[in-house]
Amino acid sequence: GKCISVCPVDAITAGDNTFKFLRDLSTPNKLVITQMAPAVRVTIGEAFGFEPGDNVENKLAAGLRKLGVDYVFDTTWAADLTIMEEAAELQDRLERYFSGDKSVKLPMLTSCCPAWVKFIEQNYGDMLDVPSSAKSPMQMFATVAKDIWAKEHGMTRDDVTSVAIMPCIAKKYEASRPEFSRGMNYDVDYVITTRELIKIFRDSGIDLKEIEPEEIDYIMGEYTGAGIIFGRTGGVIEAALRTALENMTGKRIDNIEFHSLRGWDGFRACEVEVGDIKLRIGVAHGLEEAGKMLDKIRSGEEFFHAIEIMACIGGCIGGGGQPKVRKNKEEVLRKRGDGLNNIDRDKDHRVSKENPAVQAIYDKYLDHPMSNKAHELLHTKYFVRPKRGHDHINDNDM
Ligand code: SF4
C-alpha cells in the first residue's frame, strides 16, 4: 500500500548490530557509551508489562549497565542542545524577516528526522536551504561525545564506542552518512533499535519489571522538559518556540505549553502569539502530508514561519524500530505521547536554555549558539539525491 519514497532502504543494509554490540560489551578494555532517544523510555516497558507511556528510563539505565555499558547517557540532553542551535537560527531568520529582509528563507523546517531529510533531498532539491542546518540530537550527542567528552577524559575518538538506542530504522542510515565520520570512525558507531534492545534484554535474562532503577550518567544525561517532547509530533517545534520566543521577547513565557501545536491531524496549521509576535506554524507527521504542504509552499499558496516534519505517524513514539502496535494504534501512540508530556510537566526546567549541562558546554567550549565552533561541530549540510523507487515508509507497518 503506502509507498512514497521515504525510508532510506540503505538503512536496512546497515542491518542489525546486536552481535556487534554484544561483542563490544564483552571485549575487555573497550569503553562503550550509549545514548537513548526520548521516545524509547516510554515504549520499551511495553515488552516487560508496563503500560504504553510509562517512563522506564531508570530501569533502562540499569539494564544497559547490567549488559556492560560503561556510561549510560541520554540523547535528550542533546535535544536541548539542538534546540539552542535551532532556536537561534529561527530567531535570526525571523528577526531578519520582520525587519524587511526578503532574502530570508522561511519557513524554517526542522531537521532531526533522517527519513524526512532524505525525502526533501530526493524530492525538493531546490529547497535544501530551508531546513535548519542543525544536526539531529543523535548526531550532536555523538559529535560532542567523541570530540569533547572523550578528549576531556584523556581518550581519542577511537577509544570510545558510541552506540545509539533509537526508535528508528532510518537512524541507522543517518549514522552512516559520511559527513558524520572522520575517515572510518563514525560519530555514532552503530544504532540499536528499541525492538532489538528488547530482544537483547530478554536473551540476557534482564527483566525491566524486576530490575532496580539506576540514574542516568551526568553530564550528557541532564535534560529539560523541552528536550523530552522531541519524541512526539509537534514537540520539536514547541521546544524551539519556548526558547526562541523567550529570547525574542526577553521575557519568561508564563504558559509554555503551546496547546495550539498539539493534536493529531496529519498536518496542523497553528497560530502562536506572544506579545507582538504572531507566528504561523505547521506540524506534519507522515510524509505524504508533508509533501502536499511543501508543494503549496513552493507555489506560494501557503506561508509559514516554521514547520516541524516527522516521517512517522505520532513522531518517534511511532517509529519503525519501536514495539509493534497490533491494535488501537492511535490510542497506544497517544498514551506514549502523554507519557512524554508527563515527564515534561514534572521537570523543574522546561525550556532548553535552562539546562545547566547545556549551558556548561557553551561556557566551556562553544561560546554561544551559532558561534563558529558551534557551526563546526553541531551543524550539517544537505545534498540533492536521486529519487529511489521502492523505499519504504518508516513506520510501524514495516
Ligand atoms: Fe525516525 Fe520516525 Fe522519528 Fe523520523 S519520526 S526520526 S523516521 S522514528
Side-chain angles (χ1 to χ4, degrees):
K2 295 187 214 169
C3 208
I4 47 174
S5 62
V6 187
C7 178
V9 162
D10 347 16
I12 315 303
T13 55
D16 182 341
N17 289 297
T18 298
F19 177 74
K20 229 191 223 172
F21 188 39
L22 293 173
R23 189 195 57 198
D24 287 342
L25 289 170
S26 63
T27 306
N29 301 325
K30 196 159 194 144
L31 187 108
V32 179
I33 68 170
T34 55
Q35 55 168 310
M36 48 179 157
V40 175
R41 74 207 65 205
V42 291
T43 63
I44 196 167
E46 292 165 29
F48 300 93
F50 291 90
E51 284 297 307
D54 286 352
N55 175 17
V56 299
E57 63 182 20
N58 298 110
K59 288 181 170 262
L60 191 45
L64 288 166
R65 278 204 199 95
K66 197 154 185 199
L67 285 176
V69 173
D70 296 287
Y71 289 88
V72 177
F73 292 123
D74 201 326
T75 317
T76 321
W77 171 81
D80 281 327
L81 189 58
T82 303
I83 285 305
M84 296 301 283
E85 295 298 321
E86 222 166 275
E89 203 179 338
L90 179 62
Q91 182 181 358
D92 173 64
R93 289 199 209 180
L94 289 176
E95 284 175 351
R96 284 192 290 133
Y97 175 78
F98 287 131
S99 69
D101 179 350
K102 291 285 171 258
S103 68
V104 180
K105 295 290 178 189
L106 289 176
M108 191 183 81
L109 304 171
T110 59
S111 57
C112 44
C113 169
W116 143 242
V117 167
K118 189 165 184 188
F119 176 78
I120 192 170
E121 288 180 327
Q122 288 178 324
N123 298 291
Y124 297 88
D126 56 321
M127 293 174 79
L128 295 188
D129 49 357
V130 282
S132 161
S133 61
K135 286 182 187 174
S136 69
M138 177 180 85
Q139 294 300 155
M140 281 201 188
F141 176 96
T143 309
V144 172
K146 283 199 174 171
D147 288 332
I148 295 181
W149 181 86
K151 277 186 199 140
E152 234 182 21
H153 289 76
M155 294 181 285
T156 66
R157 289 174 61 93
D158 290 323
D159 295 330
V160 176
T161 301
S162 166
V163 182
I165 314 295
M166 290 285 139
C168 177
I169 294 163
K171 286 278 167 194
K172 295 191 185 226
Y173 146 80
E174 182 184 28
S176 74
R177 286 176 66 127
E179 61 270 28
F180 300 136
S181 70
R182 303 281 164 73
M184 286 310 286
N185 186 299
Y186 284 80
D187 295 350
V188 174
D189 286 279
Y190 47 88
V191 168
I192 297 286
T193 66
T194 314
R195 280 210 305 275
E196 286 161 1
L197 186 60
I198 289 169
K199 183 157 190 308
I200 293 168
F201 280 152
R202 284 198 176 128
D203 292 348
S204 312
I206 294 170
D207 183 349
L208 293 193
K209 196 90 200 187
E210 302 300 326
I211 202 165
E212 282 301 314
E214 289 178 15
E215 292 300 312
I216 296 167
D217 281 295
Y218 197 72
I219 174 168
M220 294 186 289
E222 185 81 7
Y223 68 80
T224 72
I228 204 75
I229 56 174
F230 257 66
R232 59 135 175 100
T233 170
V236 177
I237 203 71
E238 182 169 341
L241 287 173
R242 288 181 188 180
T243 287
L245 290 173
E246 286 205 351
N247 285 346
M248 286 171 79
T249 58
K251 291 191 204 112
R252 229 185 128 86
I253 298 170
D254 295 329
N255 190 359
I256 52 161
E257 290 188 4
F258 293 101
H259 287 276
S260 61
L261 300 171
R262 300 186 182 183
W264 208 256
D265 292 344
F267 188 90
R268 311 193 283 284
C270 325
E271 299 249 311
V272 171
E273 234 175 284
V274 175
D276 301 336
I277 303 167
K278 213 186 237 173
L279 299 177
R280 193 147 192 265
I281 307 292
V283 179
H285 54 147
L287 290 180
E288 232 155 326
E289 290 296 328
K292 281 186 219 154
M293 190 46 54
L294 285 179
D295 289 339
K296 289 187 190 160
I297 289 162
R298 181 149 66 179
S299 71
E301 194 184 327
E302 282 277 12
F303 174 82
F304 289 91
H305 295 97
I307 301 186
E308 172 194 300
I309 300 177
M310 292 289 158
C312 298
I313 305 297
C316 302
I317 47 172
Q322 294 279 40
K324 297 259 190 211
V325 184
R326 308 219 181 266
K327 51 179 197 228
N328 303 334
K329 187 160 176 181
E330 188 176 320
E331 195 192 316
V332 171
L333 293 183
R334 279 177 185 269
K335 278 192 181 167
R336 290 172 174 179
D338 288 344
L340 295 176
N341 289 338
N342 292 339
I343 301 174
D344 169 30
R345 221 167 288 128
D346 286 345
K347 284 273 168 189
D348 292 334
H349 296 300
R350 300 179 66 190
V351 180
S352 297
K353 65 177 185 166
E354 294 170 4
N355 184 331
V358 165
Q359 287 165 354
I361 194 175
Y362 281 106
D363 289 347
K364 242 170 142 177
Y365 299 103
L366 301 170
D367 301 332
H368 54 83
M370 309 257 282
S371 70
N372 287 340
K373 193 78 199 159
H375 259 285
E376 193 187 305
L377 286 177
L378 307 180
H379 288 255
T380 187
K381 288 194 177 62
Y382 307 109
F383 305 95
V384 176
R385 286 175 203 276
K387 281 191 198 185
R388 295 270 305 264
H390 296 289
D391 292 357
H392 299 284
I393 194 160
N394 184 33
D395 70 9
N396 254 325
D397 298 332
M398 263 184 79

